[in-house]
Amino acid sequence: MNHNPQSSDGKHDDDSALSDFLASLMDYTPTIPDELVEHYLSKSGFQSPDVRLIRLVAVATQKFVAEVASDALMHCKARQAAVVKDKRDKQQKDKRLILTMDDLSKSLREYGVNVKHQEYFADSPSTGIDPASREE
Amino acid sequence: MRMKKLKSRRKSNSLTHPQQEATNPGDFSFNITKVAVAQICKSVGFGRSQVRALNTLTLVATKYLETLARSATSFSGVANRAQPNLLDLTNALHDISLHVGFKGAATLYGDDCFLKSAVLEDLSGFVSSTDEIPFAKPIGRPKERETEGSKPSPGGNLQRGGHIPEWLPGFPDVSNNEQCNKRVNGETLWENSASVLRHETEEFQEKRDGSNGGKLSKERRRVKFWIKEGKRVDMNRCRGNNLFSQSTDEEAEAEVEHKKSKVKQTLVVYQRRRKKVQ
């Protein structure tokens, strides 16, 4: 941070919690490496000598991706729970959780990102359906 | 994590036109981001992924990063700063999280402390609860280009880069920063103010009481004037638009007498006209 929080007199919990969080950021290594984040930040005009801000951006992005992925996982599991008939099938499908465009578009919809396919007219109901979800 | 390809026709499309799928998947940075996103997906629980889905998620992640950076930069630019700080970043995070919503979103700027935000608390919770996922492969840092491009100038400042021509004058001396920071009326930067950092309330009261409550500081005389014959005449003995000069007493008396006679004439004229009408 550019301003010094220690100049404030009181030992406010908020300030101390915030400074603790920023200090803990230096210990935590985000999945997205610092150099990559710096590349994207400099591409957008964000220039800061403070590494903690870069780590904060990386952590925020990681949290966002993790949330989207976990929502997609919930959609995937919900669909499998509806389809499951035997216990054996369920165990087999648990090992093969696949991130599909369908689940991803549903979870991204809640975050304001629209990745739906354009709807179109087709000859038969099964045209264009993903072969993995086609039950035949 | 294994990639699962789609149908054969889509597979051939992806092989022949790789650059049309997402924003330049041939970019080095994009591929690195794809690896990082794949690691995150694996940590969440996915075993496999479609290629298109992974590309889409990577693209969304890069857009998110860039949006955060642009918002923070614009916030700092609005505040006359070149480098964004934590407050700009917090503002940007709030902006981007408003769609999903977070605790306290309705009363963002009404509280005393701005940094006590739910977004930052969520992030700290995420950091403390989630294990670290180190990146899969090391990335080489780009070489510093300044050392290669700088040429020794004959008498100029060696510290400024080679992009600045030598015939330009040097930068002003900013070593006297203490004078710059102090303002005349006790104004300080917003981020150092009490509303942001929850300083002592006494300090905040001082600032508010320091001003005169909206009144003018200097004592001023009352100015009256009335418009006569298309000319604005100041009754306080100044003629025309020159309100700031003040004539001497003798001249003022002469002017006042002159005006009195004029007033009498006008009054007389009006009375006569009224009589005629009647």
Side-chain angles (χ1 to χ4, degrees):
Chain A
M1 297 190 282
N2 295 339
H3 53 272
N4 192 1
Q6 294 168 7
S7 62
S8 70
D9 237 36
K11 286 143 195 174
H12 297 286
D13 292 336
D14 308 317
D15 287 343
S16 63
L18 189 59
S19 46
D20 286 344
F21 166 51
L22 288 172
S24 73
L25 268 185
M26 295 312 295
D27 295 332
Y28 185 87
T29 310
T31 307
I32 308 174
D34 283 346
E35 295 88 357
L36 185 64
V37 177
E38 270 181 37
H39 165 79
Y40 281 114
L41 292 181
S42 60
K43 203 170 141 189
S44 312
F46 187 113
Q47 194 179 8
S48 174
D50 200 350
V51 184
R52 294 176 296 181
L53 293 182
I54 297 173
R55 291 264 167 117
L56 186 62
V57 175
V59 164
T61 312
Q62 183 178 347
K63 179 168 179 278
F64 173 74
V65 173
E67 281 176 357
V68 171
S70 63
D71 283 352
L73 189 74
M74 272 170 25
H75 282 117
C76 187
K77 284 186 176 172
R79 187 195 303 160
Q80 285 181 358
V83 172
V84 144
K85 290 170 188 177
D86 300 331
K87 268 189 182 178
R88 218 174 59 180
D89 287 343
K90 186 180 177 183
Q91 281 174 3
Q92 281 180 2
K93 280 177 184 176
D94 272 344
K95 292 178 186 174
R96 295 195 305 152
L97 285 171
I98 304 170
L99 175 66
T100 58
M101 275 302 292
D102 212 10
D103 298 330
L104 187 63
S105 72
K106 279 180 193 165
S107 73
L108 279 176
R109 194 83 190 96
E110 294 165 21
Y111 290 90
V113 181
N114 189 7
V115 286
K116 263 164 75 170
H117 276 298
Q118 185 67 26
E119 307 204 342
Y120 57 92
F121 293 103
D123 299 333
S124 63
S126 61
T127 310
I129 294 179
D130 196 61
S133 57
R134 212 186 291 185
E135 297 289 324
E136 286 181 349
Chain B
M1 193 170 137
R2 295 171 57 179
M3 307 290 184
K4 180 182 175 182
K5 303 256 181 182
L6 297 176
K7 272 187 176 179
S8 60
R9 52 186 172 91
R10 283 183 185 168
K11 193 175 174 180
S12 63
N13 277 343
S14 67
L15 283 177
T16 53
H17 305 285
Q19 291 181 2
Q20 290 175 7
E21 274 184 19
T23 309
N24 285 334
D27 274 350
F28 183 55
S29 58
F30 187 85
N31 287 328
I32 298 176
T33 320
K34 199 155 61 167
V35 174
V37 166
Q39 281 183 278
I40 297 172
C41 289
K42 186 176 177 184
S43 75
V44 166
F46 281 108
R48 300 181 183 185
S49 158
Q50 291 180 351
V51 174
R52 279 191 67 211
L54 191 62
N55 281 340
T56 309
L57 189 54
T58 312
L59 186 64
V60 169
T62 58
K63 294 276 182 206
Y64 184 86
L65 238 171
E66 287 175 10
T67 307
L68 267 183
R70 277 194 200 144
S71 289
T73 314
S74 75
F75 275 118
S76 74
V78 159
N80 285 337
R81 273 181 281 111
Q83 290 182 353
N85 61 8
L86 180 66
L87 296 164
D88 302 324
L89 203 45
T90 312
N91 262 327
L93 280 168
H94 284 161
D95 255 7
I96 216 169
S97 313
L98 275 175
H99 186 93
V100 179
F102 54 94
K103 190 179 95 175
T107 57
L108 262 183
Y109 298 104
D111 292 356
D112 294 328
C113 185
F114 178 66
L115 289 175
K116 185 180 70 172
S117 79
V119 174
L120 292 179
E121 282 175 13
D122 289 343
L123 281 177
S124 67
F126 177 78
V127 165
S128 55
S129 64
T130 317
D131 298 329
E132 279 186 32
I133 312 164
F135 190 67
K137 293 177 183 176
I139 303 174
R141 262 206 180 266
K143 279 185 188 174
E144 295 292 335
R145 291 181 187 175
E146 290 176 11
T147 55
E148 295 174 1
S150 71
K151 297 173 188 175
S153 54
N157 195 1
L158 285 173
Q159 287 180 1
R160 59 189 209 186
H163 59 283
I164 301 175
E166 289 304 321
W167 49 267
L168 282 176
F171 286 117
D173 186 20
V174 289
S175 56
N176 304 329
N177 268 341
E178 297 91 22
Q179 294 176 7
C180 296
N181 284 339
K182 294 279 181 187
R183 293 259 178 149
V184 173
N185 293 329
E187 300 158 4
T188 57
L189 290 174
W190 169 78
E191 61 244 31
N192 295 334
S193 70
S195 65
V196 168
L197 283 179
R198 285 184 71 188
H199 282 292
E200 282 179 358
T201 50
E202 293 165 5
E203 238 181 70
F204 192 63
Q205 285 296 325
E206 246 180 37
K207 242 183 244 176
R208 293 190 68 180
D209 295 341
S211 66
N212 290 334
K215 295 178 186 170
L216 293 174
S217 54
K218 188 182 168 187
E219 190 75 26
R220 293 170 199 233
R221 63 188 176 85
R222 300 184 69 177
V223 177
K224 294 182 197 172
F225 62 88
W226 41 289
I227 296 177
K228 183 182 153 188
E229 297 171 352
K231 219 195 306 183
R232 184 176 74 175
V233 176
D234 190 345
M235 285 175 66
N236 290 356
R237 304 171 218 157
C238 293
R239 189 170 282 279
N241 293 329
N242 198 0
L243 286 173
F244 296 105
S245 70
Q246 291 190 11
S247 51
T248 57
D249 287 337
E250 294 168 356
E251 289 175 8
E253 282 175 8
E255 271 191 45
V256 164
E257 282 179 11
H258 178 64
K259 276 178 199 171
K260 276 183 185 171
S261 60
K262 268 195 178 178
V263 162
K264 280 182 187 171
Q265 287 172 3
T266 50
L267 280 174
V268 164
V269 164
Y270 291 144
Q271 281 171 5
R272 282 185 191 166
R273 279 183 184 167
R274 274 185 195 171
K275 279 186 183 172
K276 277 190 183 175
V277 164
Q278 287 174 359

